[in-house]
Amino acid sequence: TCEAEAARAAMGGSASLLPREALCEYQELTFLSKQEILLAYKRFSELLPKEERENACSARVPKSQILTLPELRANPFQHRICRVFSTSYDGDDSMSFEDFLDMLSVFSDSATSDIKSHYAFRIFDFDDDGTLDRKDLEKLVNCLTGQGEESRLSNMEMEQLIQNILEESDIDKDGTINLSEFQHVISRSPDFARYGSLQR
């Protein structure tokens, strides 16, 4: 049974503090295996001050700590990733263990390309208005090319690139890219699953 497997998987260390029924539920709700969930719990706990580790399931980790993870440290979209996966009411982009699991689940190799593209769209939608407009695309390009003077595109280059992206993606020609247009473009790019994901 799931309970028995969870008990075996939870042997040893802080992992045993994750309730068995929670482990089974998390496995059903994510693309992660039991081992990956237990490892995620251990990593999440280690981001907390020692005195809070016993209650990791109900604690929140500040964004500053989440950004220390090696997978996020070099990711140009690190701040957007925290914003999209955080359920914080304060808008401080802190994460609960379930937020953290959701993030790891979406970036896992087992997540479907539909799920990955849905979250990529949300991450690239900088103003959270449900479409990728010229401002979003400009920020996206700047994140990918870096903020340094030498790597920055000229206004003309940026304009041309955004024009090319819209010509390729904006099927209904309304000047923005919606989720279904984005997913259509992604479905023609087999490399997308690897692109932009958290590197292991």
Side-chain angles (χ1 to χ4, degrees):
T1 66
C2 186
E3 298 276 313
E5 279 182 60
R8 279 199 301 278
M11 290 299 183
S14 63
S16 57
L17 296 171
L18 185 60
R20 286 182 212 169
E21 60 280 6
L23 181 58
C24 295
E25 198 177 316
Y26 291 146
Q27 195 184 4
E28 283 170 28
L29 296 172
T30 66
F31 294 100
L32 303 171
S33 68
K34 286 189 182 67
Q35 285 342 99
E36 288 171 321
I37 292 166
L38 290 169
L39 180 59
Y41 185 76
K42 183 175 186 292
R43 292 183 74 194
F44 184 81
S45 301
E46 286 167 357
L47 294 172
L48 290 165
K50 280 195 169 55
E51 64 277 8
E52 288 181 39
R53 288 182 186 171
E54 276 188 38
N55 299 316
C57 274
S58 56
R60 295 193 75 83
V61 168
K63 176 183 175 180
S64 57
Q65 282 297 99
I66 298 289
L67 292 177
T68 64
L69 294 168
E71 298 95 331
L72 284 179
R73 218 175 290 143
N75 191 307
F77 302 102
Q78 55 181 211
H79 297 288
R80 283 296 302 161
I81 290 169
C82 288
R83 167 60 48 93
V84 165
F85 287 97
S86 171
T87 56
S88 168
Y89 293 116
D90 303 333
D92 62 2
D93 297 345
S94 63
M95 285 193 190
S96 67
F97 177 58
E98 291 185 1
D99 296 341
F100 186 70
L101 266 192
D102 282 344
M103 178 180 74
L104 295 179
S105 176
V106 167
F107 289 118
S108 81
D109 293 339
S110 313
T112 65
S113 58
D114 264 6
I115 294 278
K116 286 182 184 293
S117 60
H118 171 80
Y119 278 94
F121 182 84
R122 287 186 57 199
I123 289 164
F124 300 159
D125 180 14
F126 288 87
D127 57 10
D128 297 314
D129 69 350
T131 63
L132 304 185
D133 58 18
R134 285 175 172 274
K135 277 198 166 53
D136 292 321
L137 293 173
E138 191 171 324
K139 285 184 176 172
L140 170 56
V141 170
N142 282 335
C143 278
L144 290 172
T145 57
Q147 301 298 323
E149 283 302 309
E150 68 289 340
S151 60
R152 214 158 236 248
L153 297 181
S154 71
N155 287 346
M156 219 167 79
E157 290 169 326
M158 178 68 83
E159 189 49 46
Q160 186 58 59
L161 182 56
I162 288 175
Q163 200 51 49
N164 293 349
I165 293 170
L166 286 170
E167 276 171 27
E168 175 81 13
S169 315
D170 181 17
I171 297 164
D172 62 10
K173 302 298 174 212
D174 68 349
T176 65
I177 301 167
N178 62 35
L179 177 59
S180 61
E181 289 169 335
F182 182 77
Q183 288 184 318
H184 176 71
V185 171
I186 295 311
S187 69
R188 303 192 326 233
S189 314
D191 289 345
F192 175 74
R194 290 198 306 273
Y195 180 78
S197 68
L198 286 176
Q199 300 304 314
R200 288 242 168 87

